[in-house]
Amino acid sequence: MELKEFLHMNGGDGELSYSQNSFLQRGVSLMSQPMLEIALKSIISEGLGPGKALKVADLGCGVGPVPSALASLVKENVKRECEELSWDDDDDDDQMPEIQIYMNDLPSNDFNLLFRDLLRMEEEKGEDVEGKSSKLPMCSLMGAPGSYYERLFPKESLHLVHANCTRHWLSQNLTFVLTPWGHVKAPSGLYRPEGRGINKGNVYISETSPREAYLGQFERDLTQFLKCRSQEVVPNGLMLLTFRGRPSSSDLATWQPWELKLLSLSISSLVSKGMLEKDKVDSFDFPYFGATKEEIRSIVEGQGSFAVENMKTVTHSVANEIECNEERAQKIGKFVRAFTQPVLSRYFGVQVLGSLNDELTLLALLHLDDGQPVDHFIIIVLLRRI
Ligand SMILES: C[S@@+](CC[C@H](N)C(=O)[O-])C[C@H]1O[C@@H](n2cnc3c(N)ncnc32)[C@H](O)[C@@H]1O
C-alpha cells in the first residue's frame, strides 16, 4: 500500500486531533500573511479585472485553523481591494470578483470536518455582517482530493496557490515493501542494495545517511510539484509556499528537526524496553526533508517555470506562550502526535502510540529543562509564474 493512501493528520476535533494541535502551522501562516496580502493585491489590481472570478487553491490544506483563516483572509482582502478600486459600487454588483477556493489534500484527509468548519465559519461571518452596508464577495468552496505531485486542476485555471507547512513532506509515490526485517519505505537510495536501513536508530538523516538521497528526492519532488503547477497557474499567477527548512549554515549531516530527534529517541527507548523490534525501527524513516533557501531557489530556477518574487526566513518557537515546562512538554507531545500518528500507527501498530507519546513528552520536558531550543526554521517563498 502506498503512503499516500493513508497519510493524513489526526482527524476529528478531539484533544489529540490535528485541528486542535496545529498551533505551530497557524503561527507560520500568520507570519506569511503579509506576503499573501501583497499577492492578493497584485492579482486583483494588476491582472484580474472587474467582475472576473478569482481562483485560489490551498494545497495540502489539512483541517483546522489554517484553511479556515485562508478563506476569511481571501474574502476580506478582495473586499478591501475592491473598495479601493471602487469596484464595490452598490449599483453594479457584477464588478466585485467572485471567489472559488479549492481545498486540496490526500483523500484520507478529514474533508468532512474541514467543510463543516468552513461552512460554520461562513454562517458566523454572515451573521456578523448582517445589517451592515459592507458586503463580502461571493465565495464557493470546493474539495479537490488528490496528490499535489500530480495534475489536479485544468490548464491555466488558478490565480493563486497557497501551500502552508506541507512542501517539506517527501512524495508518497514510494511503496512500503515487505522485507525480512519489516516494511521498508524511504527515499530511493536510502537503503543498501540488500535492503538494510542506513539511518539506524534514527527516523531522519543521521551522520551515516546518504544525504544526497534525501536532497535528490526533495529536488525531484519539488520539480514535479512545480511542473504540475506550471500548467495550472495562469501566466503571472502567484504561489505562496511555506517550508519547514534548515538554516543555510547548518550541516545536512548533523542537522535534525528537534522533534524528529525526540521521536527517534522515544522509539529507541521503546526498543530498549522490548516494546518494539530494533530491525523494524532501523528500517523506518519519516518522509520529510528540511531544505535551505538556497536549495529551494536553485530547484525553482532549475525547473524554470516560476520566478522567485520574494523569499524570507523566520523562526517560530513552539508554544512559547506557556511558561511551565511540564505543560509546554504536554503540548509539544500532542503537536508531534497530531502529525505523526497515522504514519506511526500504520508502521508500528496502534498499541504503542500511547507509550510513544509518554516517552516523547518526557523527553520534551528534559529538552526544555535543559534549555534546548524548540524553534522551527521556516522558509516563506512567493513565486510568480513566468
Ligand atoms: C502539516 S499538514 C499542513 C496542513 C495545513 N496546510 C496547515 O497549515 O495546517 C501537511 C498536510 O499536507 C498533506 N499532504 C502531504 N502530502 C501531500 C500530497 N502529496 N498531496 C496533497 N496533500 C499532501 C497532508 O495530508 C497534511 O494534511
Side-chain angles (χ1 to χ4, degrees), residues 98-135:
E98 294 183 344
I99 304 168
Q100 202 154 39
I101 305 184
Y102 300 95
M103 293 291 172
N104 154 263
D105 207 293
L106 292 168
S108 43
N109 183 51
D110 194 343
F111 279 99
N112 284 336
L113 178 67
L114 171 72
F115 284 103
R116 199 189 68 193
D117 281 356
L118 288 166
L119 295 176
R120 187 183 292 156
M121 195 189 70
E122 293 264 292
E123 278 169 19
E124 285 167 7
K125 277 266 153 92
E127 280 161 23
D128 282 354
V129 293
E130 213 170 15
K132 295 185 193 162
S133 59
S134 68
K135 59 177 183 209

Side-chain angles (χ1 to χ4, degrees), residues 69 72 75 92 129 133 192 205 243 248 260 273 337 382:
S72 297
K75 278 188 276 183
D92 190 357
V129 293
S133 59
R192 295 200 182 98
I205 302 172
F243 298 74
S248 310
L260 291 188
K273 291 179 182 169
R337 188 166 182 171
L382 185 64

Side-chain angles (χ1 to χ4, degrees), residues 131-147:
K132 295 185 193 162
S133 59
S134 68
K135 59 177 183 209
L136 284 171
M138 185 270 175
C139 176
S140 51
L141 299 162
M142 331 274 280
S147 170

Side-chain angles (χ1 to χ4, degrees), residues 3 168-176 184-192 195-199 203-205 209-221 283-289:
L3 185 58
H168 41 251
W169 285 80
L170 293 173
S171 71
Q172 289 84 43
N173 55 359
L174 307 147
T175 314
F176 275 89
V184 168
K185 137 92 194 55
S188 51
L190 261 193
Y191 289 86
R192 295 200 182 98
R196 192 54 83 163
I198 290 176
N199 288 342
V203 301
Y204 190 70
I205 302 172
S209 313
R211 269 97 67 191
E212 320 70 49
Y214 273 92
L215 181 55
Q217 183 69 45
F218 179 80
E219 181 170 0
R220 281 191 296 279
D221 287 349
S283 62
F284 175 75
D285 284 281
F286 212 75
Y288 183 99
F289 181 75

